């Protein structure tokens, strides 16, 4: 037997090669300055959510800072294979320095249905117990259950939890404010998604932001975002123009398989589907109990509507001054990065670093650490662009701390492409009979106005060039001003500063030869013809506030109606918040056009029931007339103390 066994062994030995891989590899993490745990936290309906907890190695009584996300918690807590907590968090989470150096326990969780979490994914999951979500769970209950678990299962913590995040991750802290867990001591929603139809990611005043089709595909059709939108051109302008309607391009790319896309196509108007999900409307009905710092970017190319809308909704309920607002000269998420400049526009200081170190850090410490000092933080901290100064204010909008007032001024269009600013109070546009002259242009859907200089790079190519998409609102507009299908009105050279604080309001008296139309209005700061310190800024046309309005919603945002052709009709819509000084030597400019492509889908300019299904024959040229009765209501700041 022994001989047989040894023979078998030697035979086996000659025919096998022991694996070099250990049964289980244990990474030597004792040298790391953190401990990382991944746990599946059970929600009240039994669904478990993947939650990554990064604990500073010697943490005792440490506060916890939570981010809930649809964007991959494991990746967001592992930007580098590093033994250093700040390094693994740096990247998406550029508050890493404050978090790691501040001794915070960092918690990042996949929302239900995404990445490591169980459950079903629904974009911006509607509130529980509503027609859109008859279940008993939503992001408010998931946040509550998560915080409850954390306070009972993280012995290194002091039991206090803050929630922070930007964009979608900024929308989630807002929902956590509905029936908040008692251990939730502070919320920092940055650039939050708030109203997808009025002015955030999906539509602006009814014009569809078709450039987000890749996002809808990649974010919504697989749990781990494995499906990818392919690029067929170097210039996205061609991709969208050749496809025709947004609905046709979506069909070509398989988006009809997405439940969210089918909801978008079924709800092109501001109906109950969108209104019931508007987070500002939801929070307007909630008491303010958790100190909340809303962070807004003045050149936010994605969610320029949300933070200000929520500020307006919460302030009336803010009896104890717990709602703070910070607005900076940033693009979407710019407060987390280098805030010295935006494209070529310079701000003379690192506004992002100042926000993180002098505003965010003391704010978080104050409410999350047991021994943190009181902070003397103004309710509103607003960067004034143009003059490049931070202002501490009591409320928003406000032009100064005291001694000034905001009075609506009239920036009126005039003949010969002129623009006249008067302190006269704006006069509402009356009966649709023109009183003054007009200018006209041909809006041709076959040649829509590019929203930025072509080639407009698809996401992949743009990321390779440093993701320039995010700063397109600060692009130079002089190319557009030279187009015959863009009306351009310019003031004389300013001899004194013109300071505005708040939302400019476009008041157009316009007609179209079609039966539907889009109106784009841009308020622009024109730099002096020469800027010695920075020559490339000579004559730069910087958008200060701009937006689009889909004409079919002129009478009702929830019901699209054809436009009566060749009839001057009044359109009134707010433009995004500005906090700007037009300096002496500059000029004020207004540009008006009828397309902003391919960011927004084209208006066929003939009325169809649903533009997502517009056919090639529906797209027709139209002659647009803008009457000189039109004006922009400017929130002009003037000193009350002479
Ligand atoms: N708010 C951002 C976004 C959402 C949807 C489409 C495109 C951008 C974001 O969460 O990144």
């Amino acid at each position: 037997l022994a001989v047989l066994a040894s023979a078998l062994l030697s035979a086996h030995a000659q025919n096998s090669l022991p694996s070099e891989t250990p049964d289980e590899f244990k990474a030597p993490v004792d040298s790391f300055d953190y401990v990382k745990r991944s746990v599946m936290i059970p929600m009240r309906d039994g669904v478990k959510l993947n939650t990554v907890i990064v604990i500073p190695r010697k943490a005792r009584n440490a506060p916890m800072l939570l981010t809930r996300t649809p964007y991959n918690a494991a990746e967001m807590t592992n930007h580098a294979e590093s033994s250093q907590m700040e390094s693994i968090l740096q990247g998406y989470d550029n508050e890493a320095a404050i978090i790691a150096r501040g001794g915070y326990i960092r918690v990042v969780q996949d929302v239900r249905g995404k990445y490591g979490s169980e459950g079903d994914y629904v974009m911006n999951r509607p509130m529980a117990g509503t027609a859109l979500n008859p279940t008993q769970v939503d992001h408010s209950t998931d946040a509550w259950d998560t915080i409850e678990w954390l306070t009972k299962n993280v012995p290194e913590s002091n039991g206090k939890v803050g929630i922070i995040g930007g964009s979608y991750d900024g929308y989630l802290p807002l929902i956590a404010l509905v029936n908040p867990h008692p251990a939730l001591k502070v919320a920092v929603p940055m650039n939050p998604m708030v109203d997808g139809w009025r002015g955030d990611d999906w539509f602006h005043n009814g014009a569809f932001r078709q450039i987000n089709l890749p996002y809808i595909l990649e974010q919504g059709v697989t749990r781990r975002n494995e499906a990818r939108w392919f690029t067929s051109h170097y210039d996205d302008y061609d991709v969208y123009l050749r496809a025709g309607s947004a609905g046709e391009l979506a069909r070509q790319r398989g988006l009809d398989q997405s439940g969210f896309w089918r909801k978008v196509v079924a709800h092109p108007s501001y109906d109950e589907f969108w209104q019931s999900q508007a987070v500002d409307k939801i929070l307007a009905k909630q008491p303010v109990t958790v100190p909340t710092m809303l962070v807004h970017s003045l050149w936010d190319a994605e969610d320029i509507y949300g933070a200000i809308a929520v500020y307006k909704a919460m302030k009336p309920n803010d009896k104890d001054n717990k709602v703070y607002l910070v607005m900076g000269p940033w693009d979407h998420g710019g407060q987390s990065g280098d805030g010295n400049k935006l494209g070529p526009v310079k701000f003379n200081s690192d506004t992002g670093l100042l926000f993180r170190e002098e505003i965010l850090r003391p704010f978080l410490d104050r409410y999350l650490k047991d021994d943190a000092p009181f902070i003397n933080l103004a309710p509103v901290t607003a960067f004034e662009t143009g003059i490049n100064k931070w202002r501490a204010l009591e409320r928003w909008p406000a032009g100064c701390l005291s001694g000034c007032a905001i009075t609506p001024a009239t920036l009126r269009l005039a003949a010969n492409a002129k623009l006249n600013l008067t302190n006269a109070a704006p006069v509402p546009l009356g009966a649709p009979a023109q009183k003054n002259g007009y200018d006209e242009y041909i809006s041709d859907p076959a040649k829509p106005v590019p929203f930025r200089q072509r080639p407009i790079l698809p996401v992949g190519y743009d990321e390779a060039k440093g993701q320039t998409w995010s700063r397109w609102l600060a692009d130079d507009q002089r190319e557009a001003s030279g187009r015959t299908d863009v009306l351009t009105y310019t003031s004389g050279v300013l001899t004194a500063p013109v300071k505005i604080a708040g939302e400019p309001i476009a008041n157009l008296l316009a007609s179209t030869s079609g039966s539907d139309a889009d109106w784009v209005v841009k308020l622009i700061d024109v730099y002096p013809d020469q800027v010695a310190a920075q020559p490339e800024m000579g004559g730069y046309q910087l958008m200060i506030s701009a937006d689009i309005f889909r004409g079919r919603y002129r009478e009702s945002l929830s019901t699209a109606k054809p436009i009566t052709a060749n009839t001057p009709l009044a359109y009134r819509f707010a433009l995004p918040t500005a906090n700007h000084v037009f300096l002496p030597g500059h000029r004020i400019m207004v540009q008006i056009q009828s397309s902003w492509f391919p960011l927004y889908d084209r208006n066929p300019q003939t009325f169809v029931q649903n533009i997502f299904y517009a056919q090639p024959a529906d797209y027709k040229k139209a002659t647009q007339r803008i009457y000189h009765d039109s004006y922009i209501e400017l929130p002009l700041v003037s000193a009350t103390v002479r």
Side-chain angles (χ1 to χ4, degrees):
L1 274 179
V3 169
L4 178 61
S6 73
L8 282 173
L9 275 175
S10 66
H12 174 70
Q14 281 154 12
N15 296 322
S16 73
L17 189 59
S19 166
E20 295 169 352
T21 305
D23 293 342
E24 186 193 358
F25 174 71
K26 291 190 185 316
V29 295
D30 293 350
S31 66
F32 290 16
D33 69 0
Y34 63 89
V35 174
K36 186 190 278 190
R37 293 182 203 137
S38 290
V39 296
M40 295 297 282
I41 298 180
M43 299 297 106
R44 61 189 66 181
D45 65 339
V47 163
K48 297 187 187 68
L49 303 189
N50 175 51
T51 309
V52 180
I53 306 172
V54 184
I55 302 166
R57 184 163 290 280
K58 300 187 178 65
R60 308 268 321 131
N61 267 340
M64 293 185 275
L65 203 49
L66 167 65
T67 291
R68 306 188 66 247
T69 181
Y71 300 136
N72 196 344
E75 190 181 276
M76 286 165 57
T77 51
N78 199 48
H79 277 281
E81 292 299 344
S82 170
S83 61
Q84 186 195 43
M85 180 172 179
E86 188 174 334
S87 294
I88 66 170
L89 297 180
Q90 189 66 27
Y92 165 86
D93 193 353
N94 288 355
E95 285 72 29
I98 295 159
I99 294 164
R101 296 178 205 172
Y104 284 90
I105 294 171
R106 187 69 173 119
V107 184
V108 185
Q109 179 182 69
D110 289 328
V111 297
R112 64 174 58 221
K114 290 308 295 181
Y115 293 99
S117 286
E118 300 172 350
D120 301 322
Y121 184 65
V122 175
M123 190 79 74
N124 299 100
R125 187 184 183 91
M127 300 308 285
T130 63
L132 295 178
N133 175 6
T135 75
Q136 292 312 303
V137 290
D138 57 22
H139 288 306
S140 160
T141 62
D142 285 351
W144 200 102
D145 294 345
T146 298
I147 294 169
E148 176 67 8
W149 188 95
L150 290 171
T151 54
K152 292 185 163 47
N153 293 277
V154 183
E156 300 89 343
S157 84
N158 66 0
K160 295 178 182 176
V161 179
I163 187 165
I164 187 173
S167 208
Y168 202 121
D169 302 357
Y171 145 80
L172 292 160
L174 292 174
I175 302 298
L177 295 175
V178 178
N179 306 318
H181 189 284
L184 181 63
K185 302 301 182 189
V186 71
V188 183
M190 302 186 286
N191 313 115
M193 295 170 82
V194 168
D195 189 321
W197 195 94
R198 288 302 304 278
D200 286 327
D201 292 286
W202 311 123
F203 299 82
H204 276 204
N205 298 316
F208 175 63
R209 292 163 66 85
Q210 63 180 358
I211 211 156
N212 287 329
L213 287 177
Y215 175 100
I216 295 174
L217 180 88
E218 297 184 354
Q219 186 62 25
V221 300
T222 65
R223 182 178 295 271
R224 305 189 73 86
N225 290 33
E226 286 133 347
R228 309 304 295 174
W229 178 274
F230 63 85
T231 298
S232 50
H233 297 64
Y234 185 68
D235 186 347
D236 250 357
Y237 186 96
D238 293 323
V239 172
Y240 289 85
L241 190 58
R242 295 201 185 142
S245 70
E248 174 53 21
L249 180 58
R251 186 195 62 76
Q252 291 172 7
R253 299 301 182 97
L255 259 175
D256 291 343
Q257 300 169 58
S258 154
F260 176 64
W261 174 246
R262 293 196 297 271
K263 290 173 185 174
V264 169
V265 172
H267 299 283
S269 302
Y270 196 50
D271 59 10
E272 189 53 24
F273 176 80
W274 294 109
Q275 292 188 40
S276 66
Q277 296 186 78
V279 181
D280 54 327
K281 294 175 169 45
I282 292 168
L283 291 176
K285 299 170 189 156
Q286 299 294 324
V288 175
T289 57
V290 177
T292 297
M293 176 179 283
L294 296 160
V295 181
H296 174 66
S297 296
L298 288 163
W299 281 284
D300 189 334
E302 299 185 16
D303 297 300
I304 203 163
Y305 180 88
I308 303 295
V310 165
Y311 177 82
K312 288 180 195 172
M314 294 179 75
K315 272 315 271 184
N317 308 335
D318 184 22
K319 308 302 177 221
D320 306 322
N321 288 324
K322 290 183 174 175
V323 176
Y324 293 79
L325 173 66
V326 179
M327 68 173 73
W330 305 311
D331 57 0
H332 190 68
Q335 68 280 2
S336 299
D338 172 354
N340 273 297
K341 59 186 173 37
L342 189 58
V345 186
K346 294 182 178 178
F347 306 118
N348 305 343
S349 66
D350 187 339
T351 58
L353 184 66
L354 181 137
F355 162 71
R356 297 190 300 275
E357 290 296 337
E358 297 182 30
I359 300 175
L360 179 62
R361 186 171 47 76
F363 183 74
L364 292 174
D365 288 355
R366 164 83 176 86
Y367 292 104
L368 291 173
K369 290 183 176 178
D370 298 334
D371 55 356
F374 182 77
I375 50 167
N376 185 22
L377 180 65
V380 176
T381 309
F383 191 83
E384 203 164 77
T385 53
I387 204 162
N388 289 342
K389 290 191 185 317
W390 284 102
R391 301 291 186 203
L393 303 169
E394 283 301 318
R395 70 199 181 290
W396 182 261
C400 60
L401 202 52
S402 65
C404 71
I406 297 177
T407 48
T410 303
L411 184 64
R412 183 180 298 285
L413 309 189
N416 306 317
K418 294 285 180 253
L419 198 58
N420 296 324
L421 175 61
T422 70
N423 291 338
V427 177
L429 287 172
Q434 70 172 43
K435 302 185 199 61
N436 298 294
Y438 61 82
D439 297 300
E440 71 178 31
Y441 58 92
I442 306 293
S443 172
D444 180 357
K447 292 186 172 63
V449 183
F451 81 97
R452 56 182 333 197
Q453 193 147 340
R454 298 179 63 186
I456 294 170
L457 303 185
V459 174
Y461 289 125
D462 186 40
E463 276 163 1
K465 288 206 170 182
Q467 224 222 356
T468 64
W469 143 265
S470 71
R471 56 176 184 264
W472 81 266
L473 280 175
D475 284 354
D476 192 339
Q477 296 300 308
R478 76 182 90 194
E479 273 302 312
S481 65
R483 287 178 61 107
T484 56
D485 55 359
V486 176
L487 292 184
T488 301
Y489 299 86
T490 312
S491 74
V493 175
L494 299 176
T495 54
V498 173
K499 176 173 163 163
I500 62 173
E503 295 173 352
I505 299 180
N507 293 261
L508 296 184
L509 187 63
S511 72
T512 175
S513 61
S515 49
D516 197 356
D518 285 353
W519 306 109
V520 176
V521 176
K522 310 173 191 172
L523 177 64
I524 292 167
D525 182 349
V526 183
Y527 280 60
D529 295 343
Q530 291 190 81
V531 178
Q534 195 183 355
E536 69 272 23
M537 292 305 287
Y540 199 94
Q541 297 176 11
L542 173 67
M543 277 194 294
I544 300 305
S545 179
D547 221 334
I548 188 169
F549 186 89
R550 182 143 287 179
R552 57 175 44 208
Y553 297 113
R554 191 181 75 87
E555 294 177 50
S556 160
L557 299 182
S558 57
T559 310
K561 294 178 184 168
I563 295 174
T564 307
N566 301 315
T567 307
L569 298 172
Y571 298 83
R572 177 177 163 85
F573 56 99
L575 302 178
T577 288
N579 191 36
H580 188 71
V581 180
F582 294 88
L583 296 172
H586 289 230
R587 288 177 292 156
I588 304 174
M589 176 184 280
V590 170
Q591 290 183 4
I592 298 171
Q593 62 199 57
S594 286
S595 51
W596 228 359
F597 191 80
L599 171 57
Y600 292 95
D601 62 342
R602 294 174 303 155
N603 192 317
Q605 302 183 148
T606 58
F607 185 82
V608 293
Q609 274 313 313
N610 186 331
I611 290 179
F612 288 119
Y613 296 124
Q615 294 306 304
D618 296 325
Y619 291 86
K620 290 200 171 59
K621 288 184 191 179
T623 299
Q624 320 291 50
R625 284 185 179 173
I626 301 294
Y627 292 83
H628 297 153
D629 309 67
S630 305
Y631 63 90
I632 292 188
E633 195 175 310
L634 282 189
L636 199 62
V637 177
S638 50
T640 47
V641 180
R642 292 287 171 211

